[in-house]
Amino acid sequence: MLVIPSIDVENGRSRLVYWPGAATGVGSPTDRPDRIAERFAAMGAQLIHMVDMDGARAGHPGNLETMGRIAGRVAVPLQVAGGMEGAANIRLAFAAGATRVVVSMSIADRPELLRDCLEVAGDWLAVGLDPRPERIAAYPWRRSAPPSLIDLTGELVDQGVRRFVLSHGGAVPDLRLLAGLAQSIRAELFLAGGSMSLEAIKGLRDTGFAGIILGEPLLSGAIDFAKALEAAA
């Protein structure tokens, strides 16, 4: 299972300062996303995830230069979320150096837009979903009744989606639920966020998920990246 470092970018800078040697006073802190990505790639990251916070608010990419700087420093794929809904937006991100994109759950109610996005990104497009039933029920769907998660993912898979990023917010992931989803959903699954520990990473590995996306736990040092890789192996 992949352990994927995530960097939240706002105005070209990481929202969290990364200082792996903070506890001992070794090294130097940085909020430059390209340097953070480079350090994680050097430690074995096989994929970097970037959240374009400005893009998410604006509805179009807001940190294209940052994407380019990251892509120029690392030889691993760059996945970008935030403001990617739209074929033109994806083209801009790919031109800047991104190789994968994540679009929001809202695209499930816009099949024509999803088709356009898939024509550009193909299998490198993932849809972000919150698997918690209450969150799906509360979403303002453009349909008569909220779909179940299984129905929703099945619908999206039938339209060509091959990857999903499931978010648990700050909650502790329900590994039993996630294992059931991994068996039921005909696509690659990644987990983003949630209250994680090394033991939880081991448990997630055993569910059949393809990867876990971690931001603050890695950047803050709450979870050691090398130990996380061991737990996911």
Side-chain angles (χ1 to χ4, degrees), residues 102-183:
V102 181
V103 297
S104 69
M105 186 164 65
S106 64
I107 206 164
D109 264 348
R110 305 176 69 184
E112 292 184 2
L113 180 62
L114 174 59
R115 184 182 64 246
D116 291 344
C117 291
L118 285 168
E119 286 180 358
V120 177
D123 289 350
W124 302 120
L125 178 142
V127 176
L129 301 172
D130 190 321
R132 291 171 288 185
E134 67 273 17
R135 294 302 181 94
I136 291 179
Y139 188 80
W141 297 101
R142 299 178 180 178
R143 53 184 82 185
S144 59
S148 70
L149 178 64
I150 297 301
D151 288 344
L152 180 61
T153 53
E155 174 185 311
L156 292 168
V157 167
D158 288 344
Q159 294 179 67
V161 176
R162 297 292 176 260
R163 290 180 172 83
F164 294 98
V165 174
L166 305 184
S167 172
H168 267 266
V172 176
D174 183 337
L175 295 178
R176 182 175 297 179
L177 168 66
L178 296 177
L181 294 176
Q183 293 178 356

Side-chain angles (χ1 to χ4, degrees), residues 33-71:
D34 55 325
R35 291 185 177 176
I36 296 172
E38 185 177 38
R39 291 184 184 181
F40 279 113
M43 290 188 287
Q46 297 181 45
L47 174 65
I48 300 295
H49 182 83
M50 176 188 139
V51 181
D52 184 346
M53 306 299 293
D54 304 293
R57 286 191 292 267
H60 56 79
N63 285 281
L64 292 170
E65 290 184 6
T66 302
M67 295 179 206
R69 285 194 292 269
I70 293 175

Side-chain angles (χ1 to χ4, degrees), residues 65-80:
E65 290 184 6
T66 302
M67 295 179 206
R69 285 194 292 269
I70 293 175
R73 275 187 174 262
V74 301
V76 299
L78 172 62
Q79 177 172 277
V80 177

